[in-house]
Amino acid sequence: MKCRIPISRLLCWLALCLFPAEALALVQDPVGTLGARVEGALGSFRAAAGWETTEVNVQLGSGESAQLRVPLLARRQSMELSMGELADAEDRVTWMEPKVTWPAPWGSLPYSLQGRSLSPLENSSPSISGLHWAWLGMSLLLVAALRRRPYRALLLGSALAGSLFLLPSAAPAQAPQVTLFEGDAPSGRWLEVRGAQDRLSIEGVQPGWLRRLPSNAEGRLELERGSGSTWAACFEGARIYYMCETSRHPQPGIQGPGRRAMRRTWLRRPGEGWSAHGAWPVSQGFPEAIAGDPGPPGWLVAGLPQGVGVLLGELEPEAGGSAWVRLVGFELAP
Amino acid sequence: MNSKAGAPASGGAIGAWRLAAFVLTLAASVAPIFLGQAWPELFGDASRLAMACTPWVVIAGWPSGNPVARDWPLALGLALPVWALAGWLDLRLDLGPGRLQATLAAALLMTICLGEARTQASSSAPRAYALLWLLCLGALPAAALALSWGSGNLVSDGGPFGALGAFSPVTSLWRDVQPAEGDLARRGLDSALFCPASLVSVAMAVGFAAAARRSAGGRAR
């Protein structure tokens, strides 16, 4: 019997079968936490859970001690296996728990929360310090002083140009952060997604997930004892997103205290298009539709499920960035 | 200034007008760096290095009616610290070292070649050089810009009108400010050194050096 399936189609099927579906999916790595007791004198130590290093700056004097929770980043595959490891200061740091506390598996989240689009991020703009400007002024004056000897001026200019790269550079400015509260109304579960370029500061050491784009970007986590429970994920050149389940969401489903005011809102009812509703202050009902609004940002509506109500909103800006809400399954109370 | 034999001088003091031109060029090349610091959204991730290089390429080859001293080494000496600062900023903007190398190599080559062509031509064929300079650094970019806008494309697009501007050092460098995706992939060190604008610059330097030598030889006979 003659085969009627073209060979090209067979090859496509074969490729699809062999290609791991996970390679197409966005990858997030778990961030676990582990309590540690640190005794001085100790400046800093490095910890790991089988993968990226966490640098912990404690600055403890002799005889001092402190307890802190250390965030640890692991590979998804090694999550169940990994224990806290210390790269140095083994005699000064004691883990207070036998195993790292990991977040619930990503797959246990409602399906609609797993595949949401990510927010766009802005680069931090590099800043030139006063030292660099002074160096430039001095260089130009020195070269101009040799204007009667052009070749010496060229030689000096080349040397001074090279010396710029030896100057200490200021720390890059913190790029604006974007916070997005992702809600799933049927299950009542919320994700807080924070994103920033290069360096992301996160309040509260709690289990979550970290996503980097590109996913092979190298970096580390940083924790400072004096900064309360704020830690940072540092991956230069990468877009960084940290996701954790939260109960600190803006509560758009309720009226009155607890709900956060929104500057702009958009609503999509099942089977209808988007309508803009403007600002939604606290302790007021959902505003009426307004005309003349250009519509929600494209990244905010990308990939949303069809046939269900969706509420989008922009919250009052937070320190260092913008904040947004995206609630799928939202229904207006009659 | 060695103008007795009509040959270009190899160094020496530069005139007040030329010095003033260098100061203006300095201001024009520092301006994008300063403005980009004051208003970061003004230039976004455009290459500060390419913007800082362009005025120096223009001034290095600025035609002169009288025999002039060779002053491109001084121009380059003044330009290099500014270029270094602009390149340092570009690196912090993650523009990629390969792209910066290509821009820097092209700018160095064009500054030296056009500066040398100006020096050599000033004593042998100043009018021919002025016409050629005006064509390459004035008319071609203007024509490419006008035709590209008129046809709905930008100069950086690799269309037929964009190809016209490829022969101009100004357009060639200005394309590096914010290259199109296709240009970015093609732009390497070799393509920067062997692009039409670089070859035009080298040809001008070699051609006018030969003309100056022939002219000096004729006078000696």
Side-chain angles (χ1 to χ4, degrees), chain B residues 153-163 175 180 183 186:
Chain B
N153 295 321
L154 291 175
V155 176
S156 55
D157 289 346
F161 303 134
R175 273 182 188 160
D183 285 349
R186 285 194 298 270

PDB file of all heavy atoms in Angstrom, chain B residues 153-163 175 180 183 186:
ATOM      1  N   ASN B 153      11.304  56.056   3.292  1.00  0.00           N
ATOM      2  CA  ASN B 153      12.262  55.263   4.070  1.00  0.00           C
ATOM      3  C   ASN B 153      13.169  56.191   4.853  1.00  0.00           C
ATOM      4  O   ASN B 153      13.347  57.344   4.496  1.00  0.00           O
ATOM      5  CB  ASN B 153      13.148  54.414   3.160  1.00  0.00           C
ATOM      6  CG  ASN B 153      12.351  53.387   2.424  1.00  0.00           C
ATOM      7  OD1 ASN B 153      11.447  52.806   2.980  1.00  0.00           O
ATOM      8  ND2 ASN B 153      12.680  53.200   1.166  1.00  0.00           N
ATOM      9  N   LEU B 154      13.759  55.676   5.879  1.00  0.00           N
ATOM     10  CA  LEU B 154      14.780  56.442   6.574  1.00  0.00           C
ATOM     11  C   LEU B 154      16.128  56.158   5.921  1.00  0.00           C
ATOM     12  O   LEU B 154      16.302  55.182   5.199  1.00  0.00           O
ATOM     13  CB  LEU B 154      14.832  56.053   8.053  1.00  0.00           C
ATOM     14  CG  LEU B 154      13.610  56.484   8.846  1.00  0.00           C
ATOM     15  CD1 LEU B 154      13.703  55.938  10.247  1.00  0.00           C
ATOM     16  CD2 LEU B 154      13.503  57.993   8.887  1.00  0.00           C
ATOM     17  N   VAL B 155      17.110  57.012   6.212  1.00  0.00           N
ATOM     18  CA  VAL B 155      18.431  56.834   5.599  1.00  0.00           C
ATOM     19  C   VAL B 155      19.050  55.503   6.019  1.00  0.00           C
ATOM     20  O   VAL B 155      19.757  54.855   5.266  1.00  0.00           O
ATOM     21  CB  VAL B 155      19.353  57.999   6.017  1.00  0.00           C
ATOM     22  CG1 VAL B 155      20.753  57.794   5.468  1.00  0.00           C
ATOM     23  CG2 VAL B 155      18.802  59.298   5.502  1.00  0.00           C
ATOM     24  N   SER B 156      18.723  55.081   7.256  1.00  0.00           N
ATOM     25  CA  SER B 156      19.360  53.859   7.741  1.00  0.00           C
ATOM     26  C   SER B 156      18.845  52.615   7.031  1.00  0.00           C
ATOM     27  O   SER B 156      19.448  51.558   7.131  1.00  0.00           O
ATOM     28  CB  SER B 156      19.134  53.723   9.240  1.00  0.00           C
ATOM     29  OG  SER B 156      17.771  53.785   9.514  1.00  0.00           O
ATOM     30  N   ASP B 157      17.711  52.732   6.341  1.00  0.00           N
ATOM     31  CA  ASP B 157      17.224  51.568   5.591  1.00  0.00           C
ATOM     32  C   ASP B 157      18.138  51.315   4.406  1.00  0.00           C
ATOM     33  O   ASP B 157      18.633  52.242   3.770  1.00  0.00           O
ATOM     34  CB  ASP B 157      15.802  51.816   5.093  1.00  0.00           C
ATOM     35  CG  ASP B 157      14.817  51.800   6.239  1.00  0.00           C
ATOM     36  OD1 ASP B 157      15.199  51.344   7.327  1.00  0.00           O
ATOM     37  OD2 ASP B 157      13.701  52.265   6.046  1.00  0.00           O
ATOM     38  N   GLY B 158      18.351  50.051   4.133  1.00  0.00           N
ATOM     39  CA  GLY B 158      19.293  49.702   3.077  1.00  0.00           C
ATOM     40  C   GLY B 158      18.694  49.742   1.696  1.00  0.00           C
ATOM     41  O   GLY B 158      18.967  48.879   0.874  1.00  0.00           O
ATOM     42  N   GLY B 159      17.878  50.710   1.376  1.00  0.00           N
ATOM     43  CA  GLY B 159      17.286  50.836   0.060  1.00  0.00           C
ATOM     44  C   GLY B 159      18.252  51.477  -0.915  1.00  0.00           C
ATOM     45  O   GLY B 159      19.395  51.777  -0.569  1.00  0.00           O
ATOM     46  N   PRO B 160      17.814  51.719  -2.153  1.00  0.00           N
ATOM     47  CA  PRO B 160      18.708  52.308  -3.162  1.00  0.00           C
ATOM     48  C   PRO B 160      19.169  53.703  -2.768  1.00  0.00           C
ATOM     49  O   PRO B 160      20.289  54.098  -3.053  1.00  0.00           O
ATOM     50  CB  PRO B 160      17.849  52.337  -4.424  1.00  0.00           C
ATOM     51  CG  PRO B 160      16.436  52.205  -3.955  1.00  0.00           C
ATOM     52  CD  PRO B 160      16.482  51.440  -2.690  1.00  0.00           C
ATOM     53  N   PHE B 161      18.315  54.477  -2.103  1.00  0.00           N
ATOM     54  CA  PHE B 161      18.713  55.829  -1.699  1.00  0.00           C
ATOM     55  C   PHE B 161      19.669  55.769  -0.521  1.00  0.00           C
ATOM     56  O   PHE B 161      20.556  56.604  -0.390  1.00  0.00           O
ATOM     57  CB  PHE B 161      17.480  56.657  -1.355  1.00  0.00           C
ATOM     58  CG  PHE B 161      16.493  56.732  -2.480  1.00  0.00           C
ATOM     59  CD1 PHE B 161      15.148  56.544  -2.265  1.00  0.00           C
ATOM     60  CD2 PHE B 161      16.936  56.979  -3.779  1.00  0.00           C
ATOM     61  CE1 PHE B 161      14.250  56.604  -3.309  1.00  0.00           C
ATOM     62  CE2 PHE B 161      16.044  57.040  -4.831  1.00  0.00           C
ATOM     63  CZ  PHE B 161      14.692  56.840  -4.596  1.00  0.00           C
ATOM     64  N   GLY B 162      19.484  54.766   0.332  1.00  0.00           N
ATOM     65  CA  GLY B 162      20.408  54.595   1.445  1.00  0.00           C
ATOM     66  C   GLY B 162      21.789  54.243   0.929  1.00  0.00           C
ATOM     67  O   GLY B 162      22.799  54.680   1.474  1.00  0.00           O
ATOM     68  N   ALA B 163      21.836  53.474  -0.172  1.00  0.00           N
ATOM     69  CA  ALA B 163      23.125  53.084  -0.762  1.00  0.00           C
ATOM     70  C   ALA B 163      23.884  54.308  -1.257  1.00  0.00           C
ATOM     71  O   ALA B 163      25.107  54.347  -1.236  1.00  0.00           O
ATOM     72  CB  ALA B 163      22.890  52.116  -1.910  1.00  0.00           C
ATOM     73  N   ARG B 175      24.714  56.478  10.491  1.00  0.00           N
ATOM     74  CA  ARG B 175      23.923  55.245  10.523  1.00  0.00           C
ATOM     75  C   ARG B 175      24.208  54.433  11.781  1.00  0.00           C
ATOM     76  O   ARG B 175      23.384  53.672  12.249  1.00  0.00           O
ATOM     77  CB  ARG B 175      24.255  54.379   9.316  1.00  0.00           C
ATOM     78  CG  ARG B 175      23.443  54.728   8.127  1.00  0.00           C
ATOM     79  CD  ARG B 175      23.806  53.804   7.005  1.00  0.00           C
ATOM     80  NE  ARG B 175      23.161  54.239   5.784  1.00  0.00           N
ATOM     81  CZ  ARG B 175      23.555  53.883   4.587  1.00  0.00           C
ATOM     82  NH1 ARG B 175      24.590  53.095   4.460  1.00  0.00           N
ATOM     83  NH2 ARG B 175      22.909  54.291   3.538  1.00  0.00           N
ATOM     84  N   ALA B 180      19.696  50.075  11.754  1.00  0.00           N
ATOM     85  CA  ALA B 180      18.564  49.164  11.575  1.00  0.00           C
ATOM     86  C   ALA B 180      19.036  47.761  11.930  1.00  0.00           C
ATOM     87  O   ALA B 180      20.235  47.485  11.986  1.00  0.00           O
ATOM     88  CB  ALA B 180      18.095  49.222  10.125  1.00  0.00           C
ATOM     89  N   ASP B 183      21.385  46.262   9.432  1.00  0.00           N
ATOM     90  CA  ASP B 183      22.689  46.925   9.432  1.00  0.00           C
ATOM     91  C   ASP B 183      23.521  46.442  10.605  1.00  0.00           C
ATOM     92  O   ASP B 183      24.725  46.244  10.496  1.00  0.00           O
ATOM     93  CB  ASP B 183      22.513  48.442   9.545  1.00  0.00           C
ATOM     94  CG  ASP B 183      22.044  49.044   8.239  1.00  0.00           C
ATOM     95  OD1 ASP B 183      22.070  48.307   7.241  1.00  0.00           O
ATOM     96  OD2 ASP B 183      21.648  50.210   8.222  1.00  0.00           O
ATOM     97  N   ARG B 186      25.231  43.204  10.063  1.00  0.00           N
ATOM     98  CA  ARG B 186      26.316  43.235   9.083  1.00  0.00           C
ATOM     99  C   ARG B 186      27.516  44.039   9.572  1.00  0.00           C
ATOM    100  O   ARG B 186      28.602  43.910   9.061  1.00  0.00           O
ATOM    101  CB  ARG B 186      25.804  43.862   7.780  1.00  0.00           C
ATOM    102  CG  ARG B 186      24.924  42.959   6.962  1.00  0.00           C
ATOM    103  CD  ARG B 186      24.765  43.517   5.569  1.00  0.00           C
ATOM    104  NE  ARG B 186      24.113  44.809   5.579  1.00  0.00           N
ATOM    105  CZ  ARG B 186      22.806  44.978   5.495  1.00  0.00           C
ATOM    106  NH1 ARG B 186      22.027  43.937   5.403  1.00  0.00           N
ATOM    107  NH2 ARG B 186      22.269  46.184   5.501  1.00  0.00           N
TER     108      ARG B 186
END
